[in-house]
Every structure is written in structure tokens, then in C-alpha cells.
Amino acid sequence: MPNTRSLVAKAPGAKFEKAEMPLRALHENAVAIKILYSGICHSDIHQARDEWFEGIFPMVPGHEIVGEVTEVGSKVSKFKVGDRVGVGTFVDSCRECEYCQKGMENYCLRGNVQTYNGRHYDGEPTYGGYAQDIVVDQNYVVTVPKSLDPAAAAPLLCAGITLYSPLKHWRVGPGMRVAILGLGGLGHMGVKFAKAMGAEVYVLGHSAAKKADAIRFGAKDYLITTDSFESHRNFFDVIVNTISADLDVDALLGMLKVGGSLVNVGLPGNHQSYNPFSIIGGLKSIAGANTGNIKDTQEMLDFCGEHNIVSDVEIVNASDAQAVDDAYQRVVASDVRYRFVIDASTI
Amino acid sequence: MPNTRSLVAKAPGAKFEKAEMPLRALHENAVAIKILYSGICHSDIHQARDEWFEGIFPMVPGHEIVGEVTEVGSKVSKFKVGDRVGVGTFVDSCRECEYCQKGMENYCLRGNVQTYNGRHYDGEPTYGGYAQDIVVDQNYVVTVPKSLDPAAAAPLLCAGITLYSPLKHWRVGPGMRVAILGLGGLGHMGVKFAKAMGAEVYVLGHSAAKKADAIRFGAKDYLITTDSFESHRNFFDVIVNTISADLDVDALLGMLKVGGSLVNVGLPGNHQSYNPFSIIGGLKSIAGANTGNIKDTQEMLDFCGEHNIVSDVEIVNASDAQAVDDAYQRVVASDVRYRFVIDASTI
């Protein structure tokens, strides 16, 4: 079995080390990808530290992958050597349940195969994008427009689709006012997408330090959340919450117009509560969405190519593996504008 | 000013008495209606007892009104003497806000004029349907098909539209599985409508005593709610909650398919809580809706005429006003199948 040079956490919370890790065999439908860049998602940190559930170690995180095809299996028709491609948060799904049949693999009833810290259905652990290579079934690989900077495109594979998918589902477009709650890796993609879709976009946040960035990304204004509960009642069609802290759900619902939706993509760890009148009184919804499917991911990447949308990134040189540990610390401190990506050539 | 014989609560929680109460003047756009039947809604009880907020007394409740036009103002074009008509939960709205302009008068930003226990914009109190007559602006009056029994049609004006409107909004139809949580005045209308719209309908409740009724109304099955949390996971497209008790929101969300909605029309008095993962993990929504607009109310009545849908009712003979107090006691005890209506000729 071939190996690939990887950044490995050998135990929960351990510092990253470089090691050779096994690559998945190139079966007839698989694509071998030389990784160019791999984004650092906050969920990588939760999983590398076992903060969500007991992980599979050694772990190679990374599910925001952009690379180039280096080899294809005998039955691969979607890709050829040299293609610029991407891999997101999952690399397989059952293909049989009602949601896989509908192309909603992100909600696979069997549970799709996560790109890392998961297991293929044959039991092999999955290793992710903090590596030089990965092998993935062609049906779970997407095409990345070559016009996009590959480093800045990497975060589209998770942060991007996680915002694009709900904005599409809730039909964001011209004539709508959209608020993005939280301007981080997820939120800054939400602003760019909602603006490109034709909506009037606002950022809600707790300090005005990022106001200039919000405007640069396309927001009409940056509002201090708590200050605008009263001044912006009945104002938004959709509020997308990208943060994972506890929410004042009723106050946010009050900012929605009749028929509006509070859509959660950030995942607070605690139960949240609401006054039933806050939804009944205005035909409102508290909703949520989890990443996106393969078809929408491709559509999102094509949209990005057309509108020249990428993430704002800081590139991590991993010549010293410690650089990834340092980046993790800065992510936890919200000190990144707006996404770290690892240059795989330095691994 | 003309008067009309009415059932009056003179103070919060007082027994009903008969009295002559003032009728609204017949202005040029108004319609005078001889009331035939008036439904008893649970909200009448809350308001007559000041359980929600400080009411306006003396109070004449009633917002499920069916009657006949006896006189019309000089500019009335929609109705003529002898027409069978209905009046629901509101009798005016600002007509200027964005929602009134869109025909969503039930969400009027100024606050629409409630049929009773409210005030017209000129300050006059409103008196409702427990009376022999009412005068209402033609724009807030709807036509009731004469093919429907007028007593059984009265509850359509609140219970009916309160279920019809969200079922329409959430696009209930063939190929969908819908659960109605609670089989009371609201719930039994929900079953009839969802069935007539082509959905596969289930009732969720706490005892099987009403199973035969549920089947008779068109349900495929009656499920004991708590027993079916596990057996019916990923089962429903829409769950409509008609009860006002605290809910196990996460368990109900677990019964929804991906993309499903838990739609609340019952109004629990307490905050409700949910695990954010319960919505994010399946593109789900916790939503709510409040009655319906005039256009949908007319559409609902036409739909009822076409499908011969009415409420199951028990008729209250109000020769002795005490009969209404007795009916209130039975409503509170959930001892009515499925709606009381007062025969206005007995007032």
C-alpha cells in the first residue's frame, strides 16, 4: 500500500508530527490527488482534541482540500490527470438511502464517510487533507475552476458550501435582506455569497473591529448585535448564525420579517430556548443546515469561478509541524482573517 | 346607535349574562350580519378570564361567526342581503403596512383589530360573535358556501383557517406524510384538511381514546406520541403541533425527515428548548403560524365547499346563559368533540 507524507496527531491534543500514512488503494472508480492546499476548519481542532467524541488516532485532519489529479482508476470518467479538483467533508456515502438517491449525501441515513476521523464502509480509517496526497472515489470529488487561486479556494470545500447551501435553500436573492451573524471563516463566505446572489447583506457581531472587512466583503453595514435588536426589528428575511455560542433566540427572531428564518450553521453546545410566540406571531422559523451535497458543492464552485469568489486566507508553512499547532491556537482565539490553509508542499 | 342581544362577561371570569350591547354603525363599506352560529374557541376562555392580558370588559367573545347579510352600506360591492357569510378573528387592519399591502392582514404591523376584546382604530371596543348581530367592513367578511351546515362551518373561521393556512404554506400534498399533534378543535380540522390535500395523515396523541375519530376524519393511524419517537424516526415531512403544553422538541424533530418542519399553531405558555444539532443535522425547522389572511380564509371556505369539510360540533342552546359557562368547563376539560357552537337564535 502506498503512503503519503502527512501531519499527524498521534493522540488527542498531541502536537502535530510528520509521518508517512497509508493511502487508500486506487480502485477502478478512484482518483489519486496531489494535494496543493488544505484549509484548517475549527472542527479539525474539536476532533483532534477529542472535544466532540472519541476520535480515531493517529488522526490526519483536513476536509478543505484542493489538489490536482495524478492518476485515475480504470472506470473514472469525470476526471483526468492534471485536473484541478476539490474534496470536502465526506468521501463516500451509502448511495442507497432515500437521501443519497436524491443527491443529498450530506444527510445519508447510514452516515456518510467523513473525510478524516471516520471509517470507510470496509473498516479502513480515513485520513484527511493535512497530507501530500489523497485517494477518493470520483463521485465525491468536484472540479475547482483553475481561475481561482487554489489556496484561497480550499476553504470553499467546507466553509464555502456550508454557507452557500443554506443561502440557496432559503432562496436568498435580490430584494432580500440577509444578516450574517459572526464574521469568521464561515461568516465571511456568507457575506460574499449573499452579496453575489443579489441580497442586501449585513453582518451582526459583537465588536466593530471587523467593520471594514465586512464592507469590503460586500456588506452594506456592520451592526453590533445587541444594539440592533430594537433598531432593526422586522428587518431581515434571513439571519444565518455562524457562531457556536448561546443565542438570544427571541431577540434574533424579532429582527426577522414575517415569514423569516433564523438559519443555524454554527453549532452551540447547549440547548437553546425560544418563546413559542416569537415564531407563531410572525410565521417564523428556527432552522439549521449541515454542509451541502456534491451537486451543490460543484454548483458553488462554478458560482465562485463566475463571480471570482474565494476565501480570505493566511497560508501556513508547515516546514515545521509546530506551525499547525500555532495556527490552531490562533483559530481558537479568533485571530485569523479568515481561514488558515496549509501549503501541502511544505509538509 | 343600534344594539344587539349578546352574551356578556361583565368582568374577568364572571358568569355570562344576556345584555343589549352596542352595534358598530353601518358605514358605507360595512355589512350588517345576523349571526346564525358562533364557535367557542379556547382563546375565548383565556380572554374572558384575563389569562393572557388585561381584557376590555364587558366582553362579548366569539370569532368563529357564520351568519346572513341583512343590510349593506352604500359602497358595498362584495355582498348583498341574504348572502351566507363568515367573520373570523379580526375585523380590520391598517391596510397600509407591507403585510396588509401583501394581503397578509393577520400579520399587520400596526396590529389588526381583533373581532372582540380589541378596539377599532377610532377607539370603539369590539364585541364578538356571542350575539345576534355584528357589523363588519366588507373587506374582512368572507363568503360561506351555502352547501355547508352553518353550525358546523362556524369553527372554520378560526380553527379551520389556523390549520389550513400552515398546511398550505408548508405545501402539504400528495406524497407527504403529515402528523397532527393533538386531536381537538384545531387538530381535527388539520386531519381533515391534510387528508383532503392528498397527504398521508397521522394523529399523535397521549391516549388512544380518540383513535376511531382520527380514522374517521381521514387519518391513516393514531400513534401514541411518546411510543412513536423511536418507531417513527425520519418519518414525517411536517408535524403540526396544535397543543399548548410543553413539548419534547428534540424527540419530535427526530420524527421528521430531512428538510422537515415542526409547525406550531398551539401556543405553550413556557419557553421551549431544543438541541441545535436536532435541526442542523437534518435541515429541519421549528416554525409557527398565526391564523390566516382573508384571501386564504376565502380559499379555505371554497375548499371546504368543494370537499364538504366542516367541523364536528356540539350545539349550545344558550336560552340559559349558564350553558356557555358549562361549555367552557367542558372545553377546559377537553370534553368536547370537537367544537362547541352557540346557536345565536337562543341568545
Side-chain angles (χ1 to χ4, degrees):
Chain A
M1 186 184 282
N3 289 330
T4 185
R5 196 159 174 82
S6 307
L7 288 159
V8 181
K10 292 196 172 163
K15 284 179 175 294
F16 279 97
E17 301 174 35
K18 293 187 184 178
E20 295 290 325
M21 294 293 288
L23 266 180
R24 185 94 173 143
L26 188 79
H27 65 76
E28 59 190 15
N29 281 303
V31 174
I33 300 164
K34 177 191 165 196
I35 297 174
L36 296 173
Y37 294 94
S38 185
I40 294 178
C41 177
H42 205 135
S43 62
D44 297 348
I45 302 174
H46 288 303
Q47 292 183 78
R49 295 178 177 175
D50 262 8
E51 291 171 348
W52 280 351
F53 55 88
E54 193 177 326
I56 301 167
F57 289 88
M59 186 186 296
V60 180
H63 59 203
E64 295 185 333
I65 300 166
V66 168
E68 279 179 4
V69 174
T70 52
E71 197 178 351
V72 296
S74 59
K75 292 194 174 168
V76 168
S77 54
K78 279 179 72 182
F79 302 101
K80 62 181 190 307
V81 171
D83 282 355
R84 176 76 51 82
V85 294
V87 176
T89 62
F90 54 93
V91 291
D92 202 357
S93 67
C94 84
R95 311 183 193 206
E96 291 173 356
C97 75
E98 61 182 294
Y99 303 117
C100 283
Q101 292 285 328
K102 286 183 196 169
M104 299 170 73
E105 311 87 355
N106 49 323
Y107 297 112
C108 171
L109 285 181
R110 180 170 174 184
N112 56 33
V113 176
Q114 292 286 292
T115 301
Y116 69 89
N117 195 21
R119 288 191 187 278
H120 288 280
Y121 296 131
D122 62 14
E124 269 190 13
T126 55
Y127 300 115
Y130 297 7
Q132 294 196 317
D133 304 273
I134 191 166
V135 174
V136 180
D137 185 289
Q138 65 174 341
N139 293 304
Y140 299 83
V141 177
V142 287
T143 297
V144 177
K146 285 207 173 176
S147 62
L148 299 176
D149 172 52
L156 299 175
L157 278 299
C158 170
I161 186 61
T162 296
L163 273 289
Y164 181 88
S165 177
L167 291 170
K168 177 188 175 189
H169 185 79
W170 273 272
R171 298 186 180 83
V172 164
M176 291 177 78
R177 281 208 200 100
V178 175
I180 306 292
L181 179 56
L183 192 65
L186 295 174
H188 91 296
M189 292 310 312
V191 176
K192 293 181 182 194
F193 284 135
K195 173 70 175 177
M197 290 169 175
E200 186 175 290
V201 190
Y202 295 74
V203 173
L204 299 174
H206 63 277
S207 98
K210 292 179 175 173
K211 177 166 182 169
D213 284 352
I215 305 294
R216 179 165 58 84
F217 298 147
K220 176 158 181 172
D221 203 358
Y222 183 107
L223 306 171
I224 304 298
T225 310
T226 48
D227 293 352
S228 42
F229 286 153
E230 285 307 315
S231 59
H232 290 72
R233 287 186 69 80
N234 186 48
F235 195 77
F236 296 112
D237 296 283
V238 174
I239 299 174
V240 182
N241 169 41
T242 72
I243 64 175
S244 298
D246 290 336
L247 299 177
D248 187 340
V249 175
D250 293 318
L252 291 167
L253 291 170
M255 301 174 84
L256 287 174
K257 299 173 85 156
V258 171
S261 297
L262 169 61
V263 181
N264 292 276
V265 298
L267 189 57
N270 303 315
H271 272 65
Q272 305 295 302
S273 79
Y274 63 96
N275 179 340
F277 187 77
S278 300
I279 49 174
I280 291 175
L283 196 66
K284 296 177 184 177
S285 298
I286 304 164
N290 181 21
T291 69
N293 61 44
I294 296 295
K295 180 169 169 289
D296 282 352
T297 304
Q298 187 60 64
E299 177 184 301
M300 178 269 304
L301 288 163
D302 295 342
F303 183 87
C304 288
E306 189 182 333
H307 293 270
N308 198 30
I309 293 173
V310 288
S311 176
D312 280 38
V313 296
E314 297 188 39
I315 294 179
V316 176
N317 180 326
S319 300
D320 181 349
Q322 173 71 32
V324 176
D325 300 310
D326 294 346
Y328 272 25
Q329 287 196 10
R330 287 185 54 204
V331 171
V332 171
S334 298
D335 177 28
V336 51
R337 293 188 177 182
Y338 279 84
R339 204 72 158 178
F340 284 116
V341 293
I342 299 169
D343 179 347
S345 70
T346 64
I347 293 174
Chain B
M1 186 183 286
N3 289 330
T4 186
R5 196 158 174 82
S6 307
L7 288 159
V8 181
K10 291 195 172 164
K15 284 177 173 298
F16 279 97
E17 301 173 35
K18 293 187 184 179
E20 295 290 325
M21 294 292 289
L23 267 181
R24 186 95 173 143
L26 187 80
H27 66 75
E28 59 190 15
N29 281 302
V31 174
I33 300 164
K34 176 191 166 195
I35 297 174
L36 297 173
Y37 294 95
S38 186
I40 294 179
C41 177
H42 204 134
S43 63
D44 297 348
I45 302 174
H46 289 303
Q47 293 182 77
R49 295 178 177 174
D50 262 10
E51 290 171 350
W52 280 351
F53 54 89
E54 193 177 327
I56 301 167
F57 290 88
M59 184 185 296
V60 180
H63 60 202
E64 295 185 332
I65 300 167
V66 167
E68 279 181 3
V69 175
T70 53
E71 197 178 351
V72 296
S74 60
K75 292 194 174 168
V76 169
S77 55
K78 278 179 71 181
F79 302 100
K80 61 183 191 307
V81 171
D83 282 355
R84 176 76 50 81
V85 294
V87 176
T89 63
F90 54 92
V91 291
D92 203 356
S93 68
C94 83
R95 312 184 191 205
E96 291 173 356
C97 75
E98 61 183 294
Y99 303 117
C100 283
Q101 293 286 327
K102 287 184 196 167
M104 300 171 74
E105 311 89 353
N106 50 324
Y107 298 112
C108 170
L109 285 179
R110 181 170 174 184
N112 56 33
V113 176
Q114 291 286 293
T115 300
Y116 70 89
N117 196 22
R119 286 189 188 279
H120 287 280
Y121 296 131
D122 62 13
E124 269 190 13
T126 55
Y127 300 115
Y130 298 6
Q132 295 197 317
D133 304 273
I134 192 167
V135 174
V136 180
D137 185 289
Q138 64 174 339
N139 293 304
Y140 299 83
V141 177
V142 287
T143 296
V144 177
K146 285 206 175 179
S147 62
L148 300 177
D149 171 52
L156 299 175
L157 277 302
C158 170
I161 186 62
T162 295
L163 272 290
Y164 181 89
S165 177
L167 291 171
K168 177 188 175 187
H169 186 79
W170 273 271
R171 299 185 179 83
V172 164
M176 291 177 78
R177 280 209 201 100
V178 175
I180 305 292
L181 179 56
L183 191 65
L186 296 174
H188 91 295
M189 293 309 312
V191 176
K192 293 181 182 193
F193 284 135
K195 171 70 175 176
M197 290 169 174
E200 187 175 290
V201 190
Y202 296 74
V203 173
L204 299 175
H206 62 278
S207 98
K210 292 178 176 174
K211 177 166 182 170
D213 283 353
I215 304 294
R216 179 164 58 86
F217 298 148
K220 177 159 180 169
D221 203 358
Y222 183 105
L223 306 171
I224 304 297
T225 310
T226 49
D227 293 351
S228 43
F229 286 153
E230 285 307 316
S231 59
H232 289 72
R233 287 186 70 78
N234 186 49
F235 194 77
F236 296 112
D237 296 283
V238 174
I239 299 174
V240 182
N241 168 41
T242 71
I243 64 175
S244 298
D246 291 335
L247 299 178
D248 187 340
V249 175
D250 293 317
L252 290 167
L253 291 170
M255 299 175 85
L256 287 174
K257 299 172 86 156
V258 170
S261 298
L262 169 61
V263 181
N264 292 276
V265 298
L267 189 58
N270 302 314
H271 272 66
Q272 304 295 305
S273 79
Y274 62 97
N275 179 340
F277 187 78
S278 300
I279 49 174
I280 291 175
L283 194 68
K284 297 177 184 178
S285 298
I286 304 164
N290 181 19
T291 68
N293 60 44
I294 296 294
K295 180 169 168 288
D296 283 350
T297 304
Q298 188 60 65
E299 177 184 302
M300 178 269 304
L301 288 164
D302 296 342
F303 184 87
C304 288
E306 188 183 332
H307 294 268
N308 198 30
I309 292 174
V310 288
S311 175
D312 280 39
V313 296
E314 297 188 38
I315 294 179
V316 177
N317 180 327
S319 301
D320 180 349
Q322 173 71 31
V324 176
D325 300 309
D326 294 346
Y328 273 25
Q329 288 197 9
R330 286 185 52 202
V331 170
V332 171
S334 297
D335 177 27
V336 52
R337 295 190 177 180
Y338 277 85
R339 204 72 158 178
F340 284 116
V341 293
I342 299 168
D343 178 347
S345 71
T346 64
I347 294 175

